[in-house]
Amino acid sequence: MKKNIRITSIIVGLSSVLTIVSCGNKPSPTPVEDNIYVSKINVNKSKNYLEVDGLPFNYNGCQIRTDWLINEQGESLEDIEYYFNVAKELGVKCVEIPLRWKDLEPIEDGYDFREASAYMRMAKKYNLRIEFLLFGVNITGMTGNAPDYVKNNKTKSPKYGNPLHHPDALFFVQGNPNTLGREKKCADALINAIYNWSI
């Protein structure tokens, strides 16, 4: 019987999805009603708190802008491990890692989660939790993070006018079910990849 992984999703800034992923050395929690709860907001009378792997989680995190380091600074994936090590030395418990939709799904229904997998391995090596920030179009509407097959299909993914005449200054029409459906499909595939990596 297939089990569903349940991960807390939170809207943060310009990112579409923020997920807390368990990359510790503990065994996977026991499934309850075919669901595995990796993280959730625990609500009780006196306080609300984040729970990861069934335990209270004192959030102490930092963001490693891997997108900027790799795409603007020219660093390699291997170079990125240095920043995980620094985070651990600083006492950070959780690192936020951006993932761009266009990198996860370079062609329609063709997914590439090698980068995400490498980050999960690094997090596990340094005993860190990891949050993936999916940089897509669901909130901002900007086309810069969309795959070319979405960006170039004006019928299925219409855009507003472009007064700046710059390819990444285009904005998708908000609420378009085709665009949002494609992004959701990628997000679901990412969650499944995380689940399969974790078991």
Side-chain angles (χ1 to χ4, degrees), residues 92-167:
V92 167
K93 292 183 179 180
C94 187
V95 290
E96 296 178 349
I97 304 296
L99 297 172
R100 300 183 307 177
W101 179 15
K102 66 182 179 182
D103 296 330
L104 296 174
E105 188 185 11
I107 59 171
E108 186 170 0
D109 295 323
Y111 300 107
D112 184 349
F113 299 123
R114 289 174 293 182
E115 194 172 321
S117 180
Y119 297 141
M120 288 189 285
R121 281 194 304 273
M122 292 175 200
K124 186 169 185 176
K125 179 177 179 179
Y126 294 100
N127 198 27
L128 297 166
R129 302 295 191 210
I130 189 169
E131 297 178 322
F132 285 128
L133 288 75
L134 178 57
F135 282 18
V137 302
N138 197 12
I139 295 177
T140 66
M142 287 187 69
T143 62
N145 291 314
D148 286 340
Y149 83 88
V150 173
K151 197 185 309 187
N152 295 334
N153 192 328
K154 297 175 184 176
T155 305
K156 288 188 176 181
S157 297
K159 302 170 199 68
Y160 295 112
N162 182 10
L164 300 178
H165 304 292
H166 186 279

Side-chain angles (χ1 to χ4, degrees), residues 9-114:
S9 290
I10 307 168
I11 303 300
V12 175
L14 301 178
S15 60
S16 297
V17 178
L18 175 61
T19 57
I20 296 182
V21 178
S22 173
C23 287
N25 295 321
K26 295 179 10 178
S28 298
T30 304
V32 178
E33 296 180 6
D34 299 325
N35 291 313
I36 296 174
Y37 288 89
V38 174
S39 65
K40 65 180 181 178
I41 304 297
N42 196 334
V43 180
N44 63 34
K45 293 179 183 176
S46 62
K47 61 182 175 179
N48 300 341
Y49 60 90
L50 181 64
E51 195 174 89
V52 176
D53 288 337
L55 299 172
F57 185 75
N58 181 13
Y59 184 91
N60 173 13
C62 71
Q63 188 174 116
I64 302 174
R65 287 302 303 263
T66 54
D67 58 330
W68 182 78
L69 291 167
I70 291 172
N71 299 307
E72 302 299 325
Q73 291 293 104
E75 297 196 34
S76 69
L77 196 55
E78 292 76 28
D79 295 333
I80 299 300
E81 185 172 344
Y82 164 81
Y83 300 97
F84 280 76
N85 185 34
V86 169
K88 178 67 176 176
E89 288 177 355
L90 291 173
V92 167
K93 292 183 179 180
C94 187
V95 290
E96 296 178 349
I97 304 296
L99 297 172
R100 300 183 307 177
W101 179 15
K102 66 182 179 182
D103 296 330
L104 296 174
E105 188 185 11
I107 59 171
E108 186 170 0
D109 295 323
Y111 300 107
D112 184 349
F113 299 123
R114 289 174 293 182

